[in-house]
Amino acid sequence: MTDYTTVSIPKDLADRVEETIEGTSFSSTSDLVRFLLRSIVIQHQQSGELTEAEFEEITDQLQDLGYLE
């Protein structure tokens, strides 16, 4: 059995995520957050470490999607 933990995000961000995932394969904010975090972790593991440029690229992408301010 997998253990879970809770991650808090601002309500306005959660609302924006809900709007963003409408019509996608993501059924919840948690699904999307798991996908994004898993993607970042996999990228990190494959490269050994994230460079500053890679981190900034991920941050820019998340900002463009409205997940970061």
Side-chain angles (χ1 to χ4, degrees), residues 5-69:
T5 188
T6 301
V7 175
S8 299
I9 60 173
K11 178 73 172 115
D12 64 326
L13 177 57
D15 293 342
R16 289 172 32 203
V17 170
E18 287 296 321
E19 291 174 10
T20 302
I21 64 174
E22 283 182 25
T24 71
S25 62
F26 298 106
S27 61
S28 67
T29 299
S30 292
D31 284 349
L32 178 63
V33 170
R34 275 191 298 273
F35 172 80
L36 292 171
L37 290 175
R38 190 175 291 123
S39 297
I40 292 168
V41 168
I42 288 170
Q43 184 177 2
H44 172 70
Q45 289 174 335
Q46 289 175 342
S47 67
E49 63 180 66
L50 286 176
T51 65
E52 184 66 29
E54 290 169 329
F55 182 79
E56 287 179 17
E57 179 181 344
I58 292 167
T59 301
D60 290 344
Q61 291 172 354
L62 292 173
Q63 285 174 332
D64 289 345
L65 292 170
Y67 302 125
L68 297 176
E69 295 179 359

